[in-house]
Amino acid sequence: MTLSRRNTIKFIAASAASMPAISAFSQNFPSKPIRWIIASGAGSSLDAIARAMQERLAATLGQAIVIENRPQAGGTVATNEVAKSAADGHTWLLGFNGPVAFAPFLYSKLPYNPLKDLAPVVITTSQPNIIAVNASVPASNMKELVALMKANPGKYNYASVGNGSSSHLTMEYLKALTGTFAVHIPFNGGPPAALSTAAGDTQILATVPTLILPQVRAGRMKALAVTGKTRYSLTPDLPTVESAGLNELKGFEAIAWNGVLVAAGTPRPIIDRINAAINAAMKEASVMERMKTAGLDAVGGSADDFGKLIADEAKKWEPIIKRSGAKLD
């Protein structure tokens, strides 16, 4: 018998011997309160998702769910903390496009590898951004905004909910396609970004509808377009970016998605249990009502579904990020 064959047999035997221990460990999950680290600030759409499900998940899993908001550095601080946590399912991340799919192309020294250090659990929600402007900006649609930006390079600032977020890169995508320039002003979370644009300190913002629409109703901002391929159910009268009729914007799509992840190496039975609990929670009438009130539509699905989304988004946005020259170091 060759050395490599003996080593393979030893590895299989060792793995088989450890299976009962892993199974018993998984059956005892959760054995203590769960830390749910949110990669955005209090009052954000991610925060709303977690708090809508918090009570239901605690009842299902039999342990307290302790929510911690960590919006710093575009959500990479929260993501790194979960990536470096024990692989036992007791520390969750509610993350989004930025730190999970975009960050490897934005940071030269990212302290974690999303594909190697994190394990996807479930998609929670997915929705388009809305591109909006302060009420004083002389643009009422995307065609007028692009013309204004082309005529005034560098005059306008755009806010984002954080470096490397979908909010940030939606605008970088727009700038790259149209050859325009606006100054990026990042915030730690959605509420301060929306307030800045509503006050006129920044002039443009692309982010989720829940943050934009209250300011639009108050007359402080104007919504110009949604960034999905089709019109959005909450704003059926709002056109898509692509429908502006500009050749540069054909096929434009930039979706904000989020979901739950845990540290890589977490046993699959634990991941499956968390997945089942969250999928069930999102179907609860009370949770659905709270999400609807917050303007959120639940997605759900398997851990593999979420893994595919992350991989597909990374593949799509890598060339866009590189073309834009966006860097966060």
Side-chain angles (χ1 to χ4, degrees), residues 12-324:
I12 293 172
S15 299
S18 68
M19 286 179 65
I22 292 174
S23 177
F25 175 70
S26 301
Q27 288 173 2
N28 292 329
F29 172 83
S31 59
K32 59 184 179 181
I34 291 166
R35 295 177 64 211
W36 198 354
I37 301 176
I38 315 301
S40 64
S44 64
S45 57
L46 263 70
D47 186 63
I49 293 166
R51 294 186 190 280
M53 291 192 284
Q54 183 180 20
E55 186 176 338
R56 181 68 181 84
L57 288 171
T60 298
L61 296 173
Q63 290 286 349
I65 308 291
V66 182
I67 292 174
E68 301 178 20
N69 295 94
R70 300 288 179 84
Q72 297 86 353
T76 58
V77 170
T79 306
N80 184 53
E81 183 165 352
V82 175
K84 301 296 192 293
S85 68
D88 60 8
H90 289 94
T91 305
W92 303 354
L93 171 73
L94 184 53
F96 58 96
N97 318 50
V100 177
F102 304 158
F105 316 116
L106 290 163
Y107 295 86
S108 59
K109 294 182 179 180
L110 195 67
Y112 60 90
N113 182 321
L115 298 180
K116 293 182 179 180
D117 299 335
L118 293 164
V121 176
V122 65
I123 307 166
T124 45
T125 71
S126 176
Q127 60 193 137
N129 291 310
I130 288 178
I131 296 179
V133 295
N134 178 267
S136 67
V137 174
S140 298
N141 54 54
M142 287 303 300
K143 194 170 186 178
E144 292 177 358
L145 177 63
V146 171
L148 197 65
M149 291 170 67
K150 283 184 175 181
N152 301 276
K155 177 180 178 180
Y156 296 101
N157 298 330
Y158 77 89
S160 82
V161 307
N163 283 326
S165 64
S166 174
S167 172
H168 170 206
L169 291 178
T170 292
M171 285 300 301
E172 289 299 320
Y173 188 21
L174 178 70
K175 286 165 56 179
L177 293 179
T178 58
T180 54
F181 177 67
V183 179
H184 177 214
I185 309 294
F187 290 84
N188 279 331
L195 289 174
S196 170
T197 306
D201 296 327
T202 50
Q203 292 77 48
I204 309 168
L205 174 63
T207 191
V208 292
T210 48
L211 291 167
I212 296 284
L213 295 178
Q215 303 296 343
V216 172
R217 295 187 192 106
R220 292 186 285 266
M221 291 171 62
K222 293 183 289 186
L224 305 187
V226 293
T227 62
K229 287 184 177 179
T230 60
R231 296 196 179 210
Y232 185 48
S233 59
L234 291 180
T235 57
D237 296 330
L238 198 60
T240 64
V241 171
E242 184 178 24
S243 67
L246 297 173
N247 288 334
E248 304 107 302
L249 299 179
K250 283 185 177 180
F252 189 100
E253 182 185 28
I255 300 298
W257 52 260
N258 47 71
V260 177
L261 303 99
V262 292
T266 300
R268 185 62 188 239
I270 290 179
I271 290 175
D272 289 343
R273 185 167 185 203
I274 300 169
N275 174 280
I278 292 173
N279 272 305
M282 288 193 292
K283 293 176 183 177
E284 282 284 322
S286 60
V287 173
M288 290 177 67
E289 184 60 32
R290 288 185 65 180
M291 285 195 175
K292 184 178 180 181
T293 300
L296 300 165
D297 292 324
V299 177
S302 70
D304 293 335
D305 291 335
F306 192 19
K308 184 178 185 304
L309 174 66
I310 294 169
D312 288 349
E313 283 281 276
K315 183 178 179 180
K316 171 186 174 177
W317 285 93
E318 180 181 6
I320 294 168
I321 294 168
K322 288 182 177 179
R323 185 169 63 240
S324 75

